[in-house]
Amino acid sequence: MTAEYQVHGVVAVITLNNPPVNGMGLETRTAAVQGLQRAAADDAVKAIVITGAGKAFSGGADIKEFNTPKALTEPSLHTFIATAEGSAKPVVAAIHTVCMGGGLELSLGCHYRVALPGAQIALPEVKLGLLPGAGGTQRLPRVLGLEPALNMIVSGNPVPSEKLPALFDEIFAADADLLQSAVAFAEKIADVRPLPKVRDRKVDYPNHEAFLQFSRNTVKAMAGPFPAPLECVETVAASVTMKFDDGMKFERERFLHLIQTTESKALRHAFFAERVASKVPDVPADTPVRQIKSAAIIGAGTMGGGIAMNFLNAGIPVKLLEQKQEALDKGIATIRKNYENTLKKGKLTQEKLDQRMGLLSSTLAYEEIGQADIVVEAVFEELGVKEAVFRKLDEVMKPGAILATNTSTLDVDKIAAFTKRPQDVIGTHFFSPANVMKLLEIVRGKDTGKDVLATALALSKKLKKTGVVSGVCDGFIGNRMIEQYSRQAGFLLEEGALPEQVDKAAEKFGFAMGPFRMGDLAGNDIGWAIRKRRYVEKPEISYSKTADLLCEMGRYGQKTGAGWYDYKAGDRKAYPNEEVNAMIVQHSAELGITRRKISDEEIVERLVYALVNEGALILEEGIALRASDIDMVYLTGYGFPLYRGGPMFYADTVGLPNVLAAINKYAQGHQGGAWKPAPLLQRLAAEGKTFNG
């Protein structure tokens, strides 16, 4: 049973037991309601305690039941809460560790709430594009007051139980036995009548109209394209302006409206996608992992330094290796400066800073890193350079050490072949800035050991990254797709657009930055180096020459103060440059192209569908395990708008037949050879299916 029933003297105890967070799925709700009915029928029972086993009171609804008939099957969560509230005997919620979402709503339906300090209390539904749908917006304001309740519901952030004294009838000492204390409390109030019900309280807030209007204005400005935060304000407003039952009805209507919105579907897709990304079909959950107690990083540049910070933040000692002392000194100074900037913003204490820097050491000798559990190579993106490093690592590293490469496009199998231990080699592609970006592409070579893959996935969690597994191909998932996106951006310039128009259209769609601002940030010389390699290896692939011409002008991006745009010292703003625009127009003339006006709609379709089409090929080749993994790469590593759910999910919402029709149309235009519909896209469109089916 996922809810257990016991009797302690005159008190019945119902314990929710559905690990890991006692999600209130159908089985749990059914057993708990049966427990309440059993207690009601037993004359010897005077009071009831509801608590949670293990590491939570309850984390809320069972996410596995989202979008399934079970979520609405009786007894529903509403019925469970109504049964507790309607009990003729007092019901006490005994709260510890985690009490969120439906778990908090259940406790608000109980007559009394008691807790241990340190329990995390939250209504996080807004983070899934929803609002609390089981009375949270109506009951919480009646207990906490309008303003604190609204803040909790709109932010979705947890608050420790001891900071919410108004919510609890008693907060026990930290070392108290929760069950014993709750049973004693229940015995004490067993005969108190009438039973206190949150629904009977009034929300008293002087001049609430002005406060609610102020809240609407503030939330509207901050919520951007997401409808849920503003809907939260409106439903909380109902707790003041409507009778309880009418407010509950209104909450239900708004919840059912939100659950159908694309934005909520996209957020829920991302939520599940993140959880499933760490599951690899042929690597069972109980695969043994190697211990990572120390790390070495080869290269102290921007990338190596950022990677080192991830390990330091996780409390793992790091040895940084460089060829020259001045490069080491510069790298360490940059790490310190990054931490000092965080300190100035008040997001880090001096003690933490000292602690992290204390875990960092440096060396110029490979022999000194041999005992590290993992070594991450972050040197120049050139196979010959990587070869020298991996041959050396093969010599010096202890048996069982993981040899990881931070390559963004190179063949991990070739790199592994430079060693006598290919089973220990894996790709760990961090994204720049590595200490900020959430994505970690974990590249599985043909010989990578299952324990090495399992270790890398576990490590990604420890480093607070979203680890996504990719197979070996040129560019893996993210960079292989972005190449097609960048090619289209280049062709758009040849046909009539200018960098500013393309970037503005992409940013209006929701990208963090458009392709040309992104190129300037990453460094246009990096793309140039990749294209030079492509011209030799894959002469059949066409590119716009505009990016090469830009690099020939010495305009490498923000680092040189000049790229597609001009940049001023201490200012990240991109200023259009007339010379660059003239070069683009001149290049069109040399190609014999009559420039035309290009709509923002066409720009967005060509950029996004180029990603989608390549993503379909990646899926078909088995480079990505699932469409949602591709979406995760783009949401966490490439600034794809969260409310659109990632490129593959977005294609599903547009409809794959529509995507295919657009691709076929663009295949008739300039550089139409760049558009060849992926067989998987054609097949799914014909069958009326989706990528994330």
Side-chain angles (χ1 to χ4, degrees):
M1 289 293 273
T2 57
E4 292 153 8
Y5 183 90
Q6 288 178 318
V7 177
H8 295 248
V10 296
V11 179
V13 176
I14 296 165
T15 306
L16 307 175
N17 190 2
N18 182 18
V21 292
N22 300 324
M24 288 185 283
L26 177 59
E27 202 184 325
T28 307
R29 299 193 303 267
T30 304
V33 167
Q34 284 169 352
L36 286 166
Q37 290 165 341
R38 189 169 160 189
D42 187 344
D43 292 341
V45 169
K46 303 283 183 217
I48 302 157
V49 168
I50 299 177
T51 192
K55 294 183 176 172
F57 170 74
S58 172
D62 191 334
I63 56 169
K64 294 194 281 294
E65 286 187 5
F66 273 33
N67 295 343
T68 73
K70 276 187 170 183
L72 300 172
T73 304
E74 291 293 348
S76 66
L77 184 54
H78 282 84
T79 303
F80 179 14
I81 294 169
T83 308
E85 189 178 58
S87 165
K89 299 171 182 181
V91 180
V92 180
I95 291 163
H96 66 92
T97 328
V98 173
C99 177
M100 295 189 184
L104 179 53
E105 290 174 303
L106 168 65
S107 76
L108 289 164
C110 296
H111 306 116
Y112 299 95
R113 284 157 299 285
V114 296
L116 289 175
Q120 296 295 297
I121 312 296
L123 288 171
E125 287 81 355
V126 72
K127 295 184 178 185
L128 296 180
L130 298 170
L131 54 80
T137 64
Q138 302 309 296
R139 289 192 179 94
L140 195 64
R142 285 174 159 82
V143 177
L144 286 189
L146 182 62
E147 198 170 335
L150 185 66
N151 288 340
M152 272 184 77
I153 291 168
V154 168
S155 76
N157 294 332
V159 180
S161 48
E162 64 273 18
K163 295 242 174 96
L164 298 169
L167 185 58
F168 299 102
D169 298 281
E170 201 171 324
I171 295 178
F172 305 127
D175 59 354
D177 180 305
L178 177 65
L179 189 57
Q180 264 182 350
S181 307
V183 167
F185 177 89
E187 286 168 348
K188 196 170 67 186
I189 53 84
D191 297 321
V192 175
R193 296 293 183 278
L195 295 172
K197 291 180 186 176
V198 169
R199 62 177 293 144
D200 298 336
R201 301 189 194 182
K202 290 272 180 290
V203 183
D204 189 21
Y205 195 92
N207 199 2
H208 63 261
E209 290 98 338
F211 169 70
L212 288 166
Q213 198 46 53
F214 167 75
S215 301
R216 283 184 190 103
N217 297 342
T218 311
V219 169
K220 192 173 182 183
M222 289 172 68
F226 292 102
L230 206 53
E231 290 280 10
C232 286
V233 178
E234 297 306 340
T235 45
V236 168
S239 70
V240 193
T241 58
M242 296 183 187
K243 289 181 176 154
F244 181 80
D245 287 331
D246 294 338
M248 287 291 285
K249 203 169 143 197
F250 181 67
E251 177 193 84
R252 191 78 197 137
E253 278 168 18
R254 300 328 295 156
F255 177 85
L256 291 172
H257 160 71
L258 281 175
I259 209 162
Q260 294 307 323
T261 61
T262 305
E263 292 83 0
S264 174
K265 287 174 181 170
L267 285 172
R268 282 178 281 143
H269 170 68
F271 178 81
F272 289 117
E274 186 164 8
R275 274 147 189 76
V276 82
S278 61
K279 293 175 173 57
V280 181
D282 67 326
V283 181
D286 58 357
T287 302
V289 296
R290 301 186 188 183
Q291 281 202 315
I292 304 292
K293 290 188 174 170
S294 63
I297 314 287
I298 315 291
T302 309
M303 208 66 216
I307 294 169
M309 287 175 75
N310 286 306
F311 284 94
L312 299 174
N313 297 350
I316 298 169
V318 171
K319 194 157 258 184
L320 206 51
L321 182 140
E322 257 294 354
Q323 289 177 303
K324 295 193 170 70
Q325 188 62 45
E326 63 193 288
L328 266 183
D329 295 343
K330 190 181 169 192
I332 289 169
T334 305
I335 292 172
R336 182 175 286 281
K337 190 170 159 240
N338 285 340
Y339 280 138
E340 281 168 355
N341 288 342
T342 315
L343 178 75
K344 277 182 203 149
K345 289 178 192 157
K347 292 181 179 172
L348 190 70
T349 62
Q350 184 65 49
E351 187 191 359
K352 277 263 166 69
L353 187 152
D354 295 339
Q355 192 185 348
R356 287 174 188 181
M357 289 305 294
L359 292 171
L360 180 63
S361 58
S362 63
T363 182
L364 298 170
Y366 271 90
E367 287 68 27
E368 290 189 15
I369 63 166
Q371 291 307 304
D373 296 317
I374 185 170
V375 55
V376 183
E377 161 278 307
V379 301
F380 189 67
E381 188 71 345
E382 207 273 310
L383 198 62
V385 181
K386 308 270 191 201
E387 176 174 2
V389 170
F390 273 82
R391 289 199 185 282
K392 194 70 190 161
L393 292 177
D394 197 27
E395 277 174 39
V396 302
M397 297 310 294
K398 69 179 183 185
I402 293 176
L403 315 185
T405 172
N406 179 54
T407 180
S408 53
T409 54
L410 299 175
D411 187 330
V412 172
D413 290 331
K414 277 186 185 165
I415 293 171
F418 300 139
T419 75
K420 296 184 197 71
R421 41 171 123 179
Q423 74 281 1
D424 294 336
V425 178
I426 194 164
T428 50
H429 178 207
F430 288 83
F431 283 69
S432 190
N435 50 313
V436 176
M437 297 296 278
K438 271 201 77 171
L439 177 62
L440 177 62
E441 255 185 335
I442 298 171
V443 187
R444 180 185 194 175
K446 64 178 170 46
D447 296 316
T448 302
K450 288 184 182 181
D451 61 333
V452 172
L453 183 58
T455 304
L457 282 161
L459 180 65
S460 69
K461 287 197 173 89
K462 196 167 182 186
L463 300 183
K464 295 190 165 60
K465 300 285 180 200
T466 302
V468 178
V469 177
S470 169
V472 174
C473 67
D474 202 331
F476 316 128
I477 296 169
N479 282 342
R480 175 171 157 182
M481 286 167 65
I482 210 77
E483 186 173 7
Q484 301 308 320
Y485 168 94
S486 301
R487 282 177 78 204
Q488 286 303 317
F491 298 148
L492 285 161
L493 296 186
E494 293 180 349
E495 291 169 62
L498 290 172
E500 193 182 13
Q501 187 201 350
V502 175
D503 282 351
K504 278 193 169 156
E507 286 157 23
K508 196 174 161 198
F509 174 78
F511 275 101
M513 55 175 65
F516 299 107
R517 280 179 60 212
M518 185 179 76
D520 279 357
L521 178 67
N524 295 310
D525 51 331
I526 294 170
W528 197 21
I530 291 170
R531 283 191 304 281
K532 283 176 182 169
R533 180 159 67 83
R534 290 280 194 279
Y535 296 150
V536 177
E537 292 174 6
K538 296 184 178 173
E540 72 282 2
I541 299 182
S542 55
Y543 295 88
S544 166
K545 284 282 187 288
T546 46
D548 294 358
L549 294 169
L550 183 81
C551 290
E552 284 166 20
M553 293 162 77
R555 300 181 68 95
Y556 293 162
Q558 283 189 18
K559 58 186 168 191
T560 56
W564 294 102
Y565 302 95
D566 291 331
Y567 298 91
K568 297 173 186 173
D571 177 2
R572 288 268 166 123
K573 196 168 179 301
Y575 297 90
N577 176 277
E578 283 180 24
E579 248 182 282
V580 171
N581 291 349
M583 174 271 285
I584 292 166
V585 172
Q586 171 69 26
H587 183 59
S588 297
E590 285 166 7
L591 291 172
I593 294 171
T594 306
R595 292 176 68 80
R596 63 185 175 89
K597 190 169 172 24
I598 299 177
S599 70
D600 286 0
E601 184 188 13
E602 179 180 338
I603 289 170
V604 167
E605 282 193 350
R606 284 173 62 178
L607 293 176
V608 176
Y609 295 170
L611 292 175
V612 171
N613 197 46
E614 195 66 23
L617 290 170
I618 282 170
L619 261 183
E620 203 155 18
E621 291 166 25
I623 298 297
L625 289 168
R626 45 187 90 83
S628 63
D629 284 359
I630 296 174
D631 288 332
M632 225 51 237
V633 165
Y634 268 77
L635 292 172
T636 57
Y638 289 85
F640 198 93
L642 181 57
Y643 63 94
R644 298 194 191 276
M648 311 315 276
F649 181 84
Y650 176 70
D652 290 343
T653 60
V654 169
L656 299 192
N658 297 328
V659 174
L660 184 60
I663 287 175
N664 286 328
K665 178 179 75 181
Y666 295 129
Q668 308 307 310
H670 170 65
Q671 291 285 3
W675 293 104
K676 193 174 171 217
L680 177 66
L681 171 61
Q682 291 175 306
R683 194 166 72 247
L684 292 175
E687 292 170 4
K689 290 182 178 169
T690 58
F691 289 120
N692 289 285

